[in-house]
Amino acid sequence: MIVLLAAMTAAVGQEVVVGENDSGTDGTDAASAVVVYDGSAGQLEVPGPMVAEADISIDGEITEAAWANAPVLTGFTQFDPVEGVPATQRTEARVLLTDDAIYFAITAWDDVEDGIRATLGDRDSFARSDDYVRIILDTFNDHRRGYVIMVNPLGVQQDGLWVVGGGGERRRRWGPPIDWNPDFVWDSSGRIFDGGYTVEVKVPFKSIRFRKTPVQDWGLQIHRRIARNGYGESWAPVTADVANEMEQFGTLTGLQDLNPGLFLEVNPVQTFSKQGAYDPGADAFQRQGIDGDFGLNLTYGITSNLTLDGTYNPDFSQVEADAGQIAVNERFALFLREKRPFFLEGTEIFQLPQQLVYTRSIVNPIVGTKLQGKIGSFNAGYLGALDEVDDPDQPGENTHAVVNLFRLRRDLGSTSNVGMVYTDRAFNRNRFNRVLGADGRFQLHQRYTVTLLAAGSRAAHGSPESVHGGLLSAQLERSGRNLQFEISGHDISNDFEAGSGFLRRTGIARLQSRASYNFRGRPGDLIESWGLSLETEALWTHDDFWARQRAQEASVRLGGSVSFRGNITVFGNYSHSYYRFERDSYYNLVSTSAGGVKQAFFPDQSLFQGLSSGTVFFWINSFDRVRGNVRLTRSESPLFDFISDAPVDVADSWSGDASLNLFPTTNLSGELGVRHTSLFRQRDGSLYSRATIPRVRAQYQFNRALYLRAIVEYGSQRRGSLLTPTGGSQVAYCSDGSCFDLQGSESNDFSFETLLSYEPTPGTVFFMGYTRRMEDMEAFRFRDVRPEAEGLFVKLSYRFRG
């Protein structure tokens, strides 16, 4: 019997006695017997630590009696930069469940004096700068989706959803597949002591979704990051040889009778704004009166795993403007991130290999509704909205577009799934866009993943006739500690349209591949890891691809990275590419001689062969108060006609960006950044375009909920005329018998934004902000500055929870 009990203890957990001599630093001062679960020994199944009551104050002090008998999770191992070695610092976690919440208490020791990095910042602000602990709860225990709860040593919160197949896990160098957009309601606190820090966390069951069953298991993982050296450590050991990290989580077992109770949230939002703009007709700056706007968000928990959301008049007022992007030689539309809370939360189900759902295509919603959840092995999501937009049939008038988005996905086996998507954006019976697609994600032999997508579209543009198009996409990935590779391709027909999605180009076929091999040192080595990568890409027009013609564009890129001791990383790559275009690509282009004579234009295609590019990127995160990165790129770039997407000339491009993050005090942080690019025509070295965007951001955090932020940004962008590579003649675009020169443009915008924010919990906020945009008549001279627009806004919102 004694032998049997000993074997059971080794397999499940070890009982140890914690006495007075073990307390001191982590605050547990009551002598008691607890069970320890050592992750490095494979003790990853923790019987549900249910208690009737837990009189715990979330204050970062782990002194309550309830913690004395809580199971202890320890035995952390490193997963970055080296896998499987013992953690460099000791970490212990305790966990408890009551009838309404799950609690965590984590003690993170550190034997380096003043080695802990912690900044008092706003929510979701510290992932790249501070030490933190990260809890991932797989509440459905299906290895596909988990709640991410992160806390820095001062208790500042960051949260999101770990979504397998969401794209973030591809090429492990980019980090885990976490969608940082959702915000949940939970409590946390942290305390730094001499030799480490402690955090306490309370996650109410009303804030998360789980199965409606009497007894259930939850997946559990705990990460720790040490910011000064970039080391990542975990309770359940992790290896990149398994594509889905969630398969390697530990488990909370035998959780009984979990019930969130009635879940109802009402979130009224009131905003006030006062706008001003320059009126060219009156040559004066005109200010309008105060406008008030009311919005309302509702959330109802139909069951513990099914949620209904509704919104009326959602707003943008609580977020920064879109960051400046350089657009002087862009061939395609720029992607802008979604920032509206209603569209962010819960929409991870709409993630697909190609972006057939892009919620910013819903420009000005009047009302919207969402239904989402998991029933058995099915995940389902519906999003509908009434969007007020410009009338395509009557320019200058408004009309309404009805948007319906539907997604269904079924789990297969332990990690695979298949699904379908349907999107419908309709103005009337003769103007609509509909897309129907099917997809699947299949994990093979743990390390291989196959992702497939097929979709068809039907669209009408004001007449009874409609056009049809198709899209095919496939991807094969191999995860590995050392060797990784990816092969992918997609084909989009000429008439495929995704009116509710975002596709940069249609009518193309693309094949891509990437292979990398990483070498690992030991923690503390001068070079802790380094690796090489090889990428290839080829692009055809849709018709050429199926006719087996030569690729229109192709490139090959050799890259490498080195990670040094002290959290210093250097990336570099060199690429070689060519472009080939048929004469019909230039059908609408003509060159205009000095005498005004126009003739068909078609450049020597050898100009676009053998173009090279090289990039070096430095990332330094060694110092406590100053961190930053620098990127430099030199390349040979085609100059594209921005209407027909045909290359006209070739330029030597120099570009770069630099960012310096400053943390003078615990409360004050700042960022200095600049982006720049210059393109010079190869034929004579003359300047074609130049863009410079410096940006300064400063923030003072009074406490976790209250901060004052100011942003100053200057955007100087200049583009010259498109000229022929030989002779320098003006290039013009002709259509329907009329021609116009492809002239250049210039803008020098200067903006200032300030925001006072008080947000004790997500949804309960007070914002007051002011924005002013000005135009500098001459770049960076500040002698003739004209105000262009300004705005003052106030937002009041409260999140009622039932």
Side-chain angles (χ1 to χ4, degrees):
M1 178 63 71
I2 294 177
V3 174
L4 178 59
L5 289 173
M8 291 176 63
T9 301
V12 179
Q14 297 177 340
E15 184 178 75
V16 298
V17 176
V18 180
E20 296 288 343
N21 294 333
D22 298 313
S23 58
T25 57
D26 68 353
T28 53
D29 56 6
S32 58
V34 299
V35 179
V36 173
Y37 295 87
D38 187 332
S40 64
Q43 297 166 359
L44 301 177
E45 291 193 5
V46 182
M50 308 287 296
V51 294
E53 292 184 3
D55 185 15
I56 295 174
S57 175
I58 305 300
D59 55 9
E61 301 276 354
I62 311 176
T63 56
E64 292 85 358
W67 290 124
N69 295 314
V72 176
L73 282 55
T74 188
F76 281 58
T77 54
Q78 190 176 114
F79 63 86
D80 187 30
V82 182
E83 292 181 359
V85 300
T88 59
Q89 302 294 336
R90 179 184 167 202
T91 308
E92 286 186 357
R94 290 171 167 81
V95 57
L96 289 172
L97 290 92
T98 65
D99 59 354
D100 67 345
I102 183 169
Y103 293 80
F104 292 91
I106 301 175
T107 304
W109 283 272
D110 198 310
D111 58 16
V112 176
E113 185 176 359
D114 298 325
I116 296 169
R117 292 183 182 175
T119 305
L120 193 63
D122 57 316
R123 190 184 185 97
D124 296 342
S125 64
F126 62 83
R128 294 183 177 273
S129 60
D130 290 7
D131 285 62
Y132 62 74
V133 290
R134 178 163 64 202
I135 302 161
I136 307 109
L137 288 171
D138 180 6
T139 55
F140 286 89
N141 200 30
D142 59 3
H143 313 308
R144 292 171 171 86
R145 179 181 180 272
Y147 291 91
V148 177
I149 304 296
M150 282 173 52
V151 191
N152 83 346
L154 296 176
V156 179
Q157 298 181 354
Q158 183 158 332
D159 50 12
L161 286 172
W162 186 296
V163 185
V164 175
E169 81 276 32
R170 294 173 192 156
R171 298 194 296 269
R172 189 175 178 83
R173 54 179 179 164
W174 299 119
I178 301 176
D179 177 2
W180 295 113
N181 293 312
D183 287 326
F184 314 113
V185 178
W186 49 286
D187 297 325
S188 66
S189 185
R191 180 181 68 90
I192 300 175
F193 61 85
D194 185 16
Y197 65 92
T198 58
V199 298
E200 282 185 301
V201 171
K202 175 185 177 182
V203 183
F205 292 149
K206 288 185 177 182
S207 296
I208 56 180
R209 304 291 165 261
F210 46 85
R211 298 183 190 275
K212 190 177 181 180
T213 57
V215 180
Q216 55 191 291
D217 300 339
W218 288 5
L220 173 65
Q221 176 64 291
I222 299 175
H223 290 162
R224 177 184 177 182
R225 181 180 184 269
I226 304 172
R228 67 175 179 273
N229 52 30
Y231 290 175
E233 302 168 349
S234 65
W235 169 61
V238 170
T239 174
D241 288 335
V242 177
N244 182 358
E245 184 178 330
M246 296 189 81
E247 290 187 89
Q248 306 170 65
F249 284 11
T251 311
L252 295 174
T253 64
L255 308 184
Q256 299 181 23
D257 300 323
L258 302 184
N259 185 5
L262 174 65
F263 177 57
L264 176 65
E265 289 185 346
V266 181
N267 185 205
V269 182
Q270 178 67 54
T271 61
F272 301 96
S273 63
K274 183 177 178 62
Q275 305 291 330
Y278 175 73
D279 185 351
D283 193 24
F285 194 84
Q286 306 285 349
R287 289 183 172 88
Q288 303 172 3
I290 297 176
D291 291 328
D293 213 2
F294 177 77
L296 181 66
N297 299 313
L298 300 170
T299 301
Y300 175 63
I302 299 174
T303 66
S304 62
N305 56 353
L306 190 62
T307 305
L308 177 65
D309 296 87
T311 187
Y312 165 73
N313 195 27
D315 75 297
F316 265 106
S317 63
Q318 73 275 32
V319 295
E320 298 176 23
D322 294 314
Q325 300 193 57
I326 294 176
V328 293
N329 191 40
E330 291 294 323
R331 302 169 67 187
F332 318 110
L334 293 173
F335 178 84
L336 300 175
R337 290 180 55 198
E338 178 62 86
K339 299 180 179 182
R340 295 165 292 183
F342 172 79
F343 293 101
L344 288 174
E345 296 199 24
T347 53
E348 73 281 348
I349 191 173
F350 291 104
Q351 294 179 353
L352 291 153
Q354 299 292 324
Q355 193 147 10
L356 300 182
V357 175
Y358 177 52
T359 53
R360 278 194 70 158
S361 64
I362 305 173
V363 180
N364 187 27
I366 300 172
V367 294
T369 185
K370 287 189 304 185
L371 179 65
Q372 56 195 342
K374 183 166 186 177
I375 303 174
S377 60
F378 287 91
N379 286 271
Y382 166 78
L383 192 156
L386 183 65
D387 194 13
E388 186 176 48
V389 294
D390 293 334
D391 192 334
D393 297 317
Q394 302 180 56
E397 299 293 330
N398 289 338
T399 188
H400 295 133
V402 179
V403 180
N404 290 286
L405 312 174
F406 178 71
R407 176 83 163 123
L408 183 66
R409 188 175 63 220
R410 187 184 191 280
D411 298 341
L412 295 178
S414 60
T415 55
S416 302
N417 59 66
V418 294
M420 61 83 64
V421 64
Y422 175 74
T423 72
D424 184 356
R425 183 179 180 88
F427 296 89
N428 52 58
R429 61 182 301 178
N430 292 327
R431 187 174 290 278
F432 60 84
N433 174 264
R434 298 179 183 124
V435 174
L436 178 64
D439 68 300
R441 184 180 186 275
F442 308 97
Q443 188 170 321
L444 310 173
H445 304 293
Q446 289 195 314
R447 69 169 73 231
Y448 295 95
T449 304
V450 176
T451 307
L452 304 172
L453 170 66
S457 71
R458 182 186 176 202
H461 302 282
S463 64
E465 293 77 21
S466 60
V467 295
H468 299 76
L471 178 150
L472 297 172
S473 174
Q475 183 177 53
L476 170 65
E477 297 175 84
R478 181 193 191 273
S479 295
R481 180 180 178 183
N482 301 112
L483 176 64
Q484 305 173 38
F485 68 74
E486 171 188 333
I487 302 172
S488 64
H490 64 260
D491 173 60
I492 307 175
S493 69
N494 300 322
D495 293 323
F496 184 85
E497 299 180 37
S500 298
F502 183 87
L503 299 174
R504 291 184 183 273
R505 302 180 69 178
T506 59
I508 63 164
R510 186 192 301 269
L511 294 177
Q512 297 171 285
S513 69
R514 183 182 188 276
S516 63
Y517 196 91
N518 297 304
F519 300 85
R520 309 285 182 176
R522 293 173 299 177
D525 285 353
L526 175 62
I527 297 178
E528 292 183 325
S529 66
W530 65 280
L532 296 173
S533 65
L534 179 66
E535 300 178 52
T536 63
E537 179 179 1
L539 182 144
W540 296 257
T541 66
H542 169 76
D543 295 334
D544 282 354
F545 177 77
W546 294 105
R548 301 182 182 179
Q549 299 296 312
R550 184 185 176 189
Q552 188 179 82
E553 303 175 22
S555 66
V556 58
R557 174 181 297 175
L558 178 65
S561 66
V562 182
S563 295
F564 296 94
R565 180 179 60 231
N567 215 0
I568 300 174
T569 304
V570 180
F571 299 92
N573 64 65
Y574 175 81
S575 66
H576 208 61
S577 59
Y578 82 85
Y579 298 81
R580 181 186 65 85
F581 289 86
E582 304 296 338
R583 285 190 176 273
D584 56 8
S585 301
Y586 297 84
Y587 179 78
N588 296 99
L589 296 186
V590 299
S591 61
T592 306
S593 65
V597 178
K598 291 181 170 52
Q599 59 183 3
F601 170 72
F602 184 73
D604 183 350
Q605 293 290 289
S606 64
L607 287 169
F608 312 114
Q609 313 295 311
L611 305 183
S612 61
S613 174
T615 297
V616 178
F617 179 84
F618 300 89
W619 185 52
I620 301 174
N621 197 17
S622 303
F623 309 105
D624 186 23
R625 299 298 179 186
V626 180
R627 295 146 222 172
N629 60 76
V630 177
R631 178 191 63 86
L632 299 172
T633 299
R634 192 275 182 192
S635 63
E636 296 176 302
S637 304
L639 299 181
F640 293 94
D641 159 30
F642 46 84
I643 297 178
S644 60
D645 183 32
V648 173
D649 200 355
V650 176
D652 290 322
S653 172
W654 296 86
S655 66
D657 52 69
S659 179
L660 188 66
N661 299 99
L662 307 173
F663 304 88
T665 69
T666 300
N667 300 74
L668 180 63
S669 63
E671 179 185 356
L672 305 175
V674 63
R675 301 185 65 194
H676 176 82
T677 184
S678 294
L679 289 89
F680 300 90
R681 298 181 180 93
Q682 278 194 348
R683 63 179 178 84
D684 59 4
S686 61
L687 179 68
Y688 169 70
S689 70
R690 174 174 291 156
T692 305
I693 303 180
R695 188 172 189 261
V696 180
R697 182 180 186 270
Q699 181 165 313
Y700 187 83
Q701 198 81 26
F702 299 93
N703 53 51
R704 282 172 48 190
L706 178 65
Y707 69 81
L708 178 65
R709 179 177 67 209
I711 299 173
V712 179
E713 182 174 288
Y714 193 107
S716 175
Q717 303 195 50
R718 173 188 171 191
R719 180 173 60 201
S721 299
L722 274 174
L723 307 176
T724 60
T726 56
S729 299
Q730 176 70 56
V731 177
Y733 182 88
C734 299
S735 179
D736 298 328
S738 60
C739 299
F740 60 91
D741 294 339
L742 298 176
Q743 298 282 7
S745 61
E746 182 174 1
S747 65
N748 302 295
D749 294 325
F750 173 57
S751 65
F752 171 77
E753 301 178 19
T754 184
L755 177 68
L756 178 66
S757 170
Y758 177 69
E759 186 175 9
T761 59
T764 298
V765 298
F766 168 75
F767 293 140
M768 183 169 64
Y770 174 76
T771 301
R772 186 173 179 87
R773 189 178 76 248
M774 293 157 282
E775 182 181 5
D776 196 357
M777 296 298 102
E778 191 174 352
F780 298 104
R781 299 305 294 268
F782 301 100
R783 292 188 297 194
D784 184 9
V785 176
R786 174 188 298 168
E788 287 291 306
E790 69 175 8
L792 175 68
F793 74 87
V794 174
K795 175 178 178 179
L796 299 166
S797 172
Y798 189 82
R799 191 171 190 168
F800 297 91
R801 254 191 166 199

